[in-house]
Amino acid sequence: AYFYSNCQSYFAKGFEDIKKKDEKPIVEKPKKKEPKKKTPDDNKIYSVGSGTGFFINQTGHILSNNHVIDSCNAVKLHYKGKIIPVTILATDRINDLSLMKVDTKPDDVFAVATEDANLLDDIYVAGYPFGKDLSSSVKVTKGVVSALTGIANNYSNIQIDAALQPGNSGGPIINKEGNVVGVAVAKLDYKIILENYDTIPEATNFGIKSSTVQQFIKANNINSANASTKQMSTKNIGTKIQKATVYLDCFMTAQRYEKLKSKKVMYKNIE
C-alpha cells in the first residue's frame, strides 16, 4: 500500500468554547445564575481553512485543488488588500482540480503549459504554506521534476522535490519560462512511511500535470493565457508569482465544520 498526504488546505484547530474559571469566594454570597456557555453561532460562517490558487487569464478565472474548496459554505479570495467572493464554476474530484472566477482583473496571470514537464526540469512552487500564520507574503520553494508519474503509476501527476506544506495546495508549479507545468496537490505521509519502511521520506511531493489541467479547463470552455517560449529571469518570475498567485479562504458554519473535521482527513490510503 502507498500513502500520501494532501498538501491540504490549512485547517484551523477548531472552535474552542469560551469559559471563565470560577473563583472560590472568601465568604458565601447569594448564588448567581451560571452564565450561558458561549458557542459559535450555527448560522454564522467562520474561516476554517486556506489554500492557494492562481489566475490563468485576464477575465478572473482561477485554478486550485478541489480539496481546498470542497464543502466550504463560501470561498473568498485575498488579493491586493481586498477580500473578494469567489464563484466556483467546476470541480474534478478524481484529479483534484477546481475552477473558479472572481469579479476582478488581475495584475498578472499564469499560462498553463501546453506540454508536460520533462524529467529534471527546474521548477518553482508558489503558495501560502500554513496559511498566514507565518506571514501574509507568498512563499516559494525550488526543485526539479523528479519523476513523470505519481503514486501507484498515476500518469496524471508528476513528482517533485520542491518542499510542500499544508496550505500549498492548489499552488502553481512553474518552469523557467514562467508557465505552469503543474498544480501542487500532495506529499507522502511521513508518519506512515516511517512506520512501514523505518525511514522518513524526503522531498517526495506531487503535482497535477499541465496536460491534465488543460483538459479540465478546455472541457469547461476556458482558456489560459498563451504560454511563453522564452526563459524568464528569476526576478520577473518572482514578480509574476506575487501578482498572479492568490490566497483562498474556506468559510464554513460551525455545524458543518464539526461534521467534516472527522471526515476531511489529511491522510489517505491509496491501495
Side-chain angles (χ1 to χ4, degrees), residues 225-245:
N226 293 326
S228 170
T229 57
K230 294 182 179 180
Q231 188 169 313
M232 295 177 66
S233 67
T234 54
K235 180 180 178 180
N236 288 339
I237 291 175
T239 300
K240 181 179 279 287
I241 284 171
Q242 290 175 304
K243 291 182 176 180
T245 311

Side-chain angles (χ1 to χ4, degrees), residues 118-138:
N118 298 307
L119 194 67
L120 292 180
D121 278 357
D122 290 324
I123 51 92
Y124 306 94
V125 181
Y128 294 89
F130 304 111
K132 292 187 176 180
D133 284 359
L134 295 179
S135 73
S136 58
S137 299
V138 66

Side-chain angles (χ1 to χ4, degrees), residues 26-180:
I26 298 174
V27 294
E28 190 172 349
K29 294 181 180 179
K31 290 184 179 179
K32 294 180 181 179
K33 287 185 179 180
E34 289 290 330
K36 287 185 178 179
K37 193 177 183 181
K38 293 183 182 179
T39 56
D41 184 348
D42 285 343
N43 296 317
K44 184 179 177 181
I45 59 173
Y46 299 84
S47 174
V48 299
S50 70
T52 304
F54 56 95
F55 285 109
I56 59 170
N57 55 37
Q58 288 291 339
T59 53
H61 289 94
I62 298 164
L63 276 174
S64 186
N65 291 143
N66 175 68
H67 74 256
V68 169
I69 55 89
D70 188 35
S71 302
C72 303
N73 289 99
V75 179
K76 296 183 181 181
L77 169 79
H78 293 241
Y79 191 62
K80 295 192 294 185
K82 296 180 181 178
I83 300 175
I84 309 166
V86 170
T87 300
I88 300 169
L89 300 179
T91 58
D92 179 345
R93 290 179 179 273
I94 293 175
N95 291 307
D96 203 351
L97 289 168
S98 61
L99 177 65
M100 295 161 278
K101 191 176 188 304
V102 291
D103 187 19
T104 192
K105 187 176 180 180
D107 289 340
D108 205 345
V109 301
F110 281 112
V112 178
T114 53
E115 294 184 7
D116 285 331
N118 298 307
L119 194 67
L120 292 180
D121 278 357
D122 290 324
I123 51 92
Y124 306 94
V125 181
Y128 294 89
F130 304 111
K132 292 187 176 180
D133 284 359
L134 295 179
S135 73
S136 58
S137 299
V138 66
K139 287 87 177 171
V140 181
T141 54
K142 183 181 178 181
V144 299
V145 176
S146 46
L148 299 179
T149 59
I151 296 170
N153 288 329
N154 181 352
Y155 286 95
S156 68
N157 282 189
I158 53 173
Q159 183 179 320
I160 60 174
D161 66 354
L164 296 181
Q165 308 294 345
N168 272 121
S169 289
I173 301 172
I174 308 144
N175 65 11
K176 285 189 171 183
E177 289 71 42
N179 303 320
V180 169

